[in-house]
Amino acid sequence: MMKRKGILIVVSGFSGAGKGTLMKQLVHSYDNYALSVSMTTRKPRPGEEEGREYFFVTRHEFERQIEEGGLIEHASYCGNYYGTPREYVRRQLEKGKDVILEIEIQGALKIKEKFPTALLLFVMPPNAAELKKRLEGRGTETPEVIEKRLERASEEAEGIENYDYIVINDRLEECVEEMHGLILAAHRTPERNGELIREMRKELEAFAK
Ligand code: 5GP
């Protein structure tokens, strides 16, 4: 039996679509997932912890990480930097874990370019009004920031066709199960099983001799 190979799973979605809660639940329900913790220059929200939601750093520190090649990808979002630390992702993939990157669209496209077998999922709320309601209900952002994030959602909606699947986040449990199912299916595609296919061909050729 060949060792299980982890894949990169990119999860994007409008701010307020509920990605964070979804991802936490997915990781909690199944043990084959590892959630990557990003680095950001944005200030922590109340309740957020260093090293759990993000590694909170200064712009200077972030730029140093970029220069040293410590990030697989990075992007600017509503005036702040966000990026994925390289080391953690590498180690978890090696262990056979599926690594979830909860990142915005520019980062998602960079990941797809560098890792063509990455699976790209886009989380949507049931409708746009619900999105606004969730953002306002969160109570952690000022009206100006909410406005910026809604504008950004409109821009991001232009890029949805680049993703492999859309997931509608209406009922949390159902959505988690659906995502897990999509990821299991992705593990079975030929382009993610090159080694298995080559091995099988080699063994069959040996029979034919
Ligand atoms: P928030 O400030 O709401 O935590 O995140 C803002 C946006 O940045 C979200 O769309 C989130 O998915 C994205 N994001 C978080 N971490 C990263 C990252 O490491 N790289 C990129 N490209 N985007 C990220």
Side-chain angles (χ1 to χ4, degrees), residues 11-16 19 36-40 42 45 48 53-54 62 73-77 80-85 101-108 110 138 141 149 156:
V11 179
S12 303
F14 313 129
S15 180
K19 285 164 294 170
S36 161
V37 178
S38 295
M39 195 168 273
T40 185
R42 130 159 121 57
R45 291 186 190 127
E48 286 186 335
E53 276 79 12
Y54 284 105
F62 198 101
E73 62 73 39
H74 67 274
S76 184
Y77 178 96
N80 282 301
Y81 277 138
Y82 294 80
T84 307
L101 310 180
E102 192 210 309
I103 64 181
E104 52 64 71
I105 192 161
Q106 304 164 55
K110 276 184 227 157
R138 195 150 80 177
E141 267 96 7
R149 285 178 174 240
E156 292 207 320

Side-chain angles (χ1 to χ4, degrees), residues 174-190:
E174 281 172 27
C175 195
V176 166
E177 290 313 308
E178 190 173 312
M179 283 188 110
H180 183 62
L182 291 171
I183 296 163
L184 287 184
H187 270 279
R188 296 284 177 256
T189 60

Side-chain angles (χ1 to χ4, degrees), residues 17-183:
K19 285 164 294 170
T21 318
L22 252 180
M23 293 310 100
K24 277 186 191 140
Q25 188 60 37
L26 186 68
V27 172
H28 179 76
S29 303
Y30 299 96
D31 60 10
N32 58 301
Y33 298 116
L35 191 56
S36 161
V37 178
S38 295
M39 195 168 273
T40 185
T41 58
R42 130 159 121 57
K43 297 275 168 287
R45 291 186 190 127
E48 286 186 335
E49 261 178 43
E50 167 67 16
R52 191 182 64 191
E53 276 79 12
Y54 284 105
F55 295 106
F56 297 98
V57 298
T58 59
R59 289 190 85 81
H60 180 74
E61 170 60 15
F62 198 101
E63 281 161 3
R64 197 176 64 82
Q65 285 289 337
I66 299 175
E67 264 170 41
E68 291 179 357
L71 305 172
I72 314 182
E73 62 73 39
H74 67 274
S76 184
Y77 178 96
C78 295
N80 282 301
Y81 277 138
Y82 294 80
T84 307
R86 184 180 302 279
E87 246 333 271
Y88 176 82
V89 172
R90 192 187 60 75
R91 266 187 281 124
Q92 297 299 321
L93 284 176
E94 237 166 50
K95 278 196 211 165
K97 298 263 186 189
D98 292 335
V99 183
I100 301 174
L101 310 180
E102 192 210 309
I103 64 181
E104 52 64 71
I105 192 161
Q106 304 164 55
L109 298 180
K110 276 184 227 157
I111 292 288
K112 189 72 189 173
E113 214 179 280
K114 283 192 188 168
F115 306 90
T117 60
L119 178 70
L120 269 55
L121 304 178
F122 197 92
V123 179
M124 283 215 250
N127 54 60
E130 177 67 21
L131 185 74
K132 189 157 181 272
K133 202 172 96 193
R134 285 186 196 173
L135 264 177
E136 288 167 350
R138 195 150 80 177
T140 51
E141 267 96 7
T142 61
E144 297 80 67
V145 171
I146 293 179
E147 199 178 311
K148 241 194 204 173
R149 285 178 174 240
L150 286 172
E151 260 170 43
R152 177 65 186 233
S154 174
E155 281 167 37
E156 292 207 320
E158 293 299 316
I160 297 178
E161 283 88 346
N162 292 296
Y163 287 75
D164 295 308
Y165 295 101
I166 292 169
V167 181
I168 312 272
N169 185 16
D170 198 352
R171 291 199 188 87
L172 181 70
E173 288 300 329
E174 281 172 27
C175 195
V176 166
E177 290 313 308
E178 190 173 312
M179 283 188 110
H180 183 62
L182 291 171
I183 296 163

